Amino acid sequence: MSRLPAASLAAMLLAACTPRRAAEGQQEQEPPPQVVLYGARLESYEGERLTLSGTAERLTYQRAGGDVQGTNATLKVPPGQDARGGSGGVEVSAPNMEGSLASKQLVGSGGVVIRTGEGMVARTPRLTYDANTGQANGNEGVTVTGADYRMRADRFELSLPDETYTFDGSVETVLGAAE
């Protein structure tokens, strides 16, 4: 074998093994997550106190920024310890949840359902939750049903520690048997 074909073969092999750069105008894709969990169960604590538990069909985690994404996720906030003695807690379910462990912020989307221990059920397209303050809110409308009422509002705020709700914008309430 002459030196020229052997050198050509070595150069072709080297070129084939070299990583290629993205073509001009194409953005590089984000790297895959460091962790992907299927059928994930999670619990969050402050000291020895359980502050949040839940499940997700699929959960991804990016170690670099602390970003998490969950699909078909349900989070449960245990009952608050307020002057009323707390209630049955709050459960939030959504097809999609994205959050950051660093900022302790979470966004649920795709049809969020909120259930309380007292039987209230709220539905909203999108919910933003701040674990630092225990506050959740939504600006895309909300419908609420209870044992003897139903309501619709443009916006809402929810304080999970004391389980109080504030509805804003155009608010319509119907008292009596809920449909």
Side-chain angles (χ1 to χ4, degrees):
M1 182 181 260
S2 72
R3 290 182 183 234
L4 185 58
S8 298
L9 181 60
M12 287 178 16
L13 286 173
L14 182 61
C17 294
T18 305
R20 297 177 190 238
R21 291 186 178 169
E24 245 180 80
Q26 291 181 341
Q27 295 180 357
E28 290 187 30
Q29 293 181 356
E30 288 188 32
Q34 278 89 21
V35 177
V36 179
L37 302 169
Y38 296 91
R41 290 182 45 167
L42 55 112
E43 293 181 343
S44 179
Y45 292 88
E46 284 183 12
E48 293 184 16
R49 184 175 64 93
L50 178 67
T51 58
L52 185 72
S53 64
T55 60
E57 186 176 285
R58 181 176 187 265
L59 185 72
T60 63
Y61 174 64
Q62 289 286 3
R63 189 177 358 189
D67 294 335
V68 293
Q69 291 183 323
T71 57
N72 297 323
T74 299
L75 299 177
K76 297 177 183 178
V77 179
Q81 299 303 316
D82 61 5
R84 299 176 297 141
S87 64
V90 177
E91 178 181 289
V92 179
S93 300
N96 304 300
M97 287 194 189
E98 296 180 20
S100 168
L101 297 178
S103 69
K104 295 185 177 184
Q105 304 269 324
L106 174 76
V107 175
S109 62
V112 180
V113 179
I114 306 161
R115 297 179 191 278
T116 68
E118 287 91 16
M120 183 191 87
V121 178
R123 299 176 190 282
T124 185
R126 183 178 178 93
L127 171 132
T128 301
Y129 174 66
D130 184 342
N132 296 307
T133 63
Q135 305 292 312
N137 64 67
N139 294 317
E140 296 180 24
V142 63
T143 59
V144 181
T145 57
D148 56 357
Y149 66 91
R150 65 182 186 273
M151 181 176 59
R152 187 208 59 78
D154 292 336
R155 294 177 295 283
F156 70 96
E157 289 183 14
L158 162 61
S159 173
L160 293 176
D162 59 5
E163 297 180 24
T164 58
Y165 306 86
T166 304
F167 300 98
D168 199 7
S170 174
V171 179
E172 298 173 14
T173 304
V174 177
L175 300 176
E179 290 181 2

